[in-house]
């Protein structure tokens, strides 16, 4: 093997830059957590709209879900970061700029809220009416029924699907480097510009993402499954 | 005070779209007594019970619990006003309901089911709720299953747990909606046994049932519902021994084989 090839395959350079790369990974995690919180809360809100008694609410909920579920995350990211501030700026007659981190959280959160909304809706509609009747008969308010009876069952039901969504979402956090959020991919690109050694650095990034996502999702699945199974007959 | 019945059902009408399911049903349930409601499928029995605790708000008529109207209140000017949902909620927790399909909450253990409403609705301290919940489970002989999840229980066990759940709210009366109809025959006895004990202990009960022998044995009064009206009512000996109406006779003959 030639020295040049050996050198280009040497992954140790990845380790040399571990501090800055780890910082990048922290940004991935922060974007993920922020977007997950937004996706879950907006998703639940949209789901409750979609099953509302009043048809205007149902219409708004359906439009919301369809728009965000069918928008590519890359386009949403660019749109939220560059177009949305312009529109807001025109509306309030002032120059507006979004912090890249905030744009990333909003864009990914909105896209994935469309998916979570469908999960929540299907889960809520799968709860037998008798479960809710029992809550009402014992004097529970609708809010209490939602939080104590409906959602705990919905969470268990949608957990496998939600886990897949979270994995996709974590992968999607890598595109935020496009609007200059200093995540792992962004920092890797910066190092490559200095070192001119894309092979070990991109490969190292790929291995890091793979290992992290694989370990986390396997771990969560393992620990959640027995808890989830208890309620199934 | 003692002449006020525990539950008064006064002129209940209920329609679903164009179909009038209940066409003016009235009866009293004195404190400590058991009233059974019998009748063919579609006679309106279950709807009647769901109206009694406003799971189905009646179109006309009113339910009184200890003399207090459940769905309406009298305002300061003496006018009848419909109660808000939260007021109805506060009133109907006085009635313990046992459903045909048990309707236990599957994500909670048996004890979790039993203490949920006392803690969340009655705001009972957790320790107290557990102590009384365990007492209720002992009463229905389910204490050894307190930490099981409903999915692991037989139908009879689930229904006994559901009875404990209703008792844990210390209700003024218990409503049973065909509590044994979805159980295998060999499991109905354990549930009827618990219901029999409750009746003997002086629990005020309305029992919608297809178990004629049971209704005859435990009831103070039996109501025969036919096409949304009370066709005949009286003490069990009369209803089962000497039915006056032709329809009741026909209905009962189907159960004597």
């Amino acid at each position: 093997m030639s020295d040049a090839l050996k050198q280009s395959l040497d992954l140790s350079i990845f380790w040399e830059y571990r501090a800055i790369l780890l910082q990048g990974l922290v940004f991935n995690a922060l974007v993920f957590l922020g977007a997950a919180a937004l996706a879950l809360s907006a998703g639940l809100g949209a789901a409750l709209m979609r099953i509302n008694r009043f048809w205007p609410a149902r219409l708004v909920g359906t439009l919301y879900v369809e728009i965000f579920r069918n928008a590519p995350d890359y386009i949403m990211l660019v749109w939220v970061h560059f177009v949305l501030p312009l529109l807001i700026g025109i509306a309030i007659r002032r120059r507006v700029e979004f912090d890249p981190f905030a744009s990333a959280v909003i864009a990914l959160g909105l896209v994935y809220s469309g998916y979570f909304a469908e999960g929540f809706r299907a889960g809520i509609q799968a709860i037998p009416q008798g479960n809710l009747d029992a809550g009402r008969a014992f004097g529970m308010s609708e809010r209490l029924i939602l939080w104590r009876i409906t959602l705990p069952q919905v969470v268990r039901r949608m957990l496998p699907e939600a886990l897949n969504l979270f994995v996709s979402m974590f992968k999607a956090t890598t595109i935020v480097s496009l609007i200059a959020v200093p995540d792992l991919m962004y920092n890797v690109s910066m190092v490559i510009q200095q070192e001119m050694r894309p092979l070990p650095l991109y490969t190292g990034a790929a291995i890091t993402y793979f290992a992290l996502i694989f370990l986390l999702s396997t771990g969560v699945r393992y620990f959640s499954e027995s808890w989830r199974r208890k309620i199934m007959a | 005070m003692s002449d006020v019945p525990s539950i008064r059902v006064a002129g209940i009408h209920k329609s679903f779209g164009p179909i009038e399911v209940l066409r003016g049903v009235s009866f009293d349930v004195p404190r400590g007594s058991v009233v059974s409601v019998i009748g063919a499928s579609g006679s309106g029995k279950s709807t009647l019970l769901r109206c009694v605790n406003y799971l189905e708000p009646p179109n006309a008529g009113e339910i009184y619990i200890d003399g207090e109207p459940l769905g309406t209140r009298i305002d300061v000017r003496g006018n009848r006003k419909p109660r808000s949902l939260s007021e109805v909620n506060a009133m109907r927790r006085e009635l313990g309901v046992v459903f045909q399909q048990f309707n236990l909450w599957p994500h909670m253990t048996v004890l979790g089911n039993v203490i949920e409403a006392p803690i969340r609705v009655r705001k009972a301290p957790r320790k107290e709720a557990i102590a009384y919940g365990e007492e209720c489970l002992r009463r229905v002989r389910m204490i050894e299953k307190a930490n099981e999840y409903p999915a692991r229980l037989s139908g009879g066990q689930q229904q006994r747990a559901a009875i404990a759940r209703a008792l844990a709210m210390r209700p003024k009366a218990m409503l049973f909606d065909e509590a044994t109809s979805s159980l295998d025959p060999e499991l109905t006895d354990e549930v009827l046994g618990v219901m029999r004990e409750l009746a003997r202990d002086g629990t005020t009960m309305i029992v919608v049932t297809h178990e004629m022998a049971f209704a005859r044995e435990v009831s103070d009064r039996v109501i025969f519902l036919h096409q949304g009206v009370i066709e005949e009512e009286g003490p069990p000996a009369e209803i089962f021994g000497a039915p006056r109406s032709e329809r009741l006779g026909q209905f009962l003959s189907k159960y004597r084989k």
Side-chain angles (χ1 to χ4, degrees), chain B residues 109-126:
Chain B
T109 62
V110 165
L111 184 63
N113 268 275
V114 170
I115 63 175
E116 178 67 14
I119 290 175
R120 303 280 162 180
V121 178
R122 284 234 189 264
K123 309 284 179 205
R126 199 180 168 80

Side-chain angles (χ1 to χ4, degrees), chain A residues 130-131 133-142 144 148-149 152-153 156 230-233, chain B residues 50 53 55 89 92-93 97 99 103 105-108 116-117 120-121 149 151 165-166 169:
Chain A
N131 257 259
D133 278 350
R136 291 189 190 114
F138 294 115
M140 294 172 85
S141 65
E142 294 303 312
L144 201 52
R148 297 290 306 168
I149 296 174
Q153 293 185 61
R156 287 168 174 84
K230 270 187 195 154
I231 71 165
M232 310 288 176
Chain B
R50 289 172 70 86
N53 73 346
L55 276 180
N89 271 334
R92 66 176 160 208
R93 64 189 187 202
V97 187
F99 299 89
N103 294 345
W105 299 307
H107 57 298
M108 299 177 188
E116 178 67 14
R120 303 280 162 180
V121 178
Y149 283 84
R165 175 174 68 171
M169 282 294 275

Side-chain angles (χ1 to χ4, degrees), chain A residues 35 37 57 63 70 82 85 106 125 129 136 157 159 186 227:
Chain A
L63 277 176
N70 294 305
F82 297 110
I106 293 170
Q125 286 179 332
Q129 180 64 32
R136 291 189 190 114
R157 274 171 204 267
L159 204 65
Y186 185 85
W227 171 72

Side-chain angles (χ1 to χ4, degrees), chain B residues 5 37 47 51 64 66 69 89-90 116 134 157 167 195 206-207 245-246 250:
Chain B
V37 181
T47 305
C51 281
Y64 298 87
D66 285 347
N89 271 334
E116 178 67 14
E134 286 174 343
Q157 290 170 331
L167 289 174
M195 290 168 67
I206 301 180
V207 182
S245 76
E246 198 179 322
Q250 279 170 1

